[in-house]
Amino acid sequence: MKFFTKEVKIALTAIVGIVILFYGLEFLKGLTVFSTDDSYYIAFDDVSGLSASSPVYANGYRVGVVKEINYDYTHQNKIVAVMGLNNEMRLPKGTHAEIDSDLLGNIKINLVLGDNPIDLLAEGDTIPGGAVQGMMARVGAMMPAIEAMMPKLDSILTGLNALLNDPALANTLHHVEGMTDNLDATSRELKSLSASLNHEMPAMMQKTNGILDNTQQLTGNLAAIDVAAMTASVNQTLANVNELTRKLNSNEGSLGLLMRDATLYNRLSQTVADADSLMVDLKAHPKRYVHFSVFGRKDK
């Protein structure tokens, strides 16, 4: 009778399939099929979310996986997780583990390595573990403060709604639209004025240059004036005026005597009076002073 009958072949195929399925599941979990990893233990007070096959990271790089989690019934506040690390991974003393989660809720273990790279842990040693407060936990811690803010937020929204429904706001927006149109018109006028100034600027510059040239010429003429000679001439004129004034105030000369000698003044007045009387008599009796005859006879 043949050993490899149809039934035996089917049984062997089923066994091989089961073995392949088992190791395939282990591989999908992240566990090595033929494990050469070093095992270490982590003591936790709480392993919420942690499970076998959770990855283990050191400095952001995956170095191992959680093999199993055991509950210590003798010390009910302790839970021990067994992690398998790459056999090339070395853990310094002082290393501890932290349970962390990302935004999608994936749980992992982060190894925080100790500072002493020489004094190392041996395989099978136990390190302390804890939990890092994840994003959701932090959000949960913020919920009481958010709930306390809700009444204020509701009041703010009510006030904002009342403000938006106020007709004054619509009027204000209407006025703002009018102001915008006015600003647009002003901007166009300024643009036109600027274009006009740009067009007239060359002529204005030429006039300005002409004024500057005249100013320079006037400045040159003023600079050419002999101020010292002019000052000397003015001083000489003032000296002559002073001398004339002195002579008028003294008895020197006719003008001085006329202004200061009363006798001369009286004589001049008497002379003028006599001349006036003579003229009056001349007009009254002209024949006394003028004798005219065709035949040379004198009238008596």
Side-chain angles (χ1 to χ4, degrees):
M1 182 178 64
K2 293 183 179 180
F3 178 75
F4 291 103
T5 62
K6 185 177 180 180
E7 291 77 5
V8 172
K9 291 180 180 179
I10 294 174
L12 291 175
T13 302
I15 292 171
V16 171
I18 292 171
V19 172
I20 292 174
L21 178 62
F22 173 78
Y23 284 107
L25 291 175
E26 293 295 308
F27 177 78
L28 292 176
K29 290 180 181 179
L31 300 174
T32 54
V33 178
F34 303 101
S35 177
T36 57
D37 295 343
D38 295 335
S39 295
Y40 294 86
Y41 299 92
I42 309 173
F44 291 103
D45 295 330
D46 188 350
V47 290
S48 298
L50 188 66
S51 62
S53 75
S54 293
V56 179
Y57 289 86
N59 298 326
Y61 184 79
R62 180 169 176 167
V63 294
V65 68
V66 176
K67 291 184 177 180
E68 57 180 317
I69 300 175
N70 299 319
Y71 188 79
D72 189 353
Y73 290 95
T74 59
H75 301 85
Q76 296 184 2
N77 59 344
K78 291 296 182 184
I79 303 173
V80 178
V82 182
M83 64 176 179
L85 298 182
N86 189 298
N87 55 14
E88 296 182 1
M89 183 68 187
R90 299 291 181 266
L91 298 181
K93 287 187 177 180
T95 299
H96 65 277
E98 296 177 345
I99 299 175
D100 195 6
S101 62
D102 56 20
L103 293 176
L104 299 178
N106 298 320
I107 306 299
K108 62 182 179 180
I109 290 180
N110 286 326
L111 294 177
V112 181
L113 303 178
D115 297 331
N116 189 357
I118 298 177
D119 196 2
L120 304 176
L121 293 172
E123 181 183 1
D125 285 347
T126 301
I127 63 175
V132 177
Q133 190 177 22
M135 179 65 69
M136 297 305 297
R138 290 193 290 270
V139 171
M142 293 172 59
M143 287 305 296
I146 295 175
E147 291 177 356
M149 291 174 58
M150 288 303 294
K152 298 181 180 179
L153 183 61
D154 184 64
S155 177
I156 293 172
L157 291 176
T158 302
L160 183 60
N161 190 23
L163 178 62
L164 292 176
N165 292 329
D166 191 351
L169 180 61
N171 294 332
T172 302
L173 294 177
H174 179 71
H175 292 322
V176 169
E177 184 178 2
M179 292 172 61
T180 303
D181 294 338
N182 293 334
L183 288 175
D184 187 35
T186 303
S187 178
R188 290 196 298 269
E189 291 177 359
L190 288 175
K191 185 176 180 181
S192 176
L193 178 60
S194 177
S196 177
L197 288 176
N198 291 334
H199 179 71
E200 296 178 359
M201 186 60 69
M204 293 175 61
M205 291 299 297
Q206 290 179 358
K207 292 181 180 179
T208 303
N209 292 332
I211 293 172
L212 291 177
D213 292 339
N214 293 335
T215 303
Q216 281 185 331
Q217 184 176 0
L218 177 60
T219 305
N221 294 335
L222 290 175
I225 295 175
D226 191 351
V227 178
M230 182 183 292
T231 303
S233 177
V234 171
N235 290 334
Q236 182 63 37
T237 302
L238 291 176
N240 294 335
V241 171
N242 290 332
E243 180 65 20
L244 177 61
T245 303
R246 186 187 65 78
K247 289 182 177 181
L248 289 176
N249 292 330
S250 65
N251 294 327
E252 297 178 6
S254 299
L255 289 176
L257 291 174
L258 181 61
M259 292 178 63
R260 301 181 62 85
D261 191 353
T263 303
L264 180 59
Y265 173 76
N266 293 331
R267 288 179 181 177
L268 286 176
S269 298
Q270 184 63 40
T271 302
V272 171
D274 293 340
D276 184 61
S277 299
L278 178 60
M279 291 301 294
V280 171
D281 187 64
L282 178 61
K283 289 180 180 181
H285 306 92
K287 292 182 178 182
R288 291 180 182 178
Y289 304 96
V290 178
H291 301 280
F292 179 78
S293 175
V294 178
F295 302 101
R297 188 179 65 180
K298 293 183 181 179
D299 294 334
K300 293 183 180 178

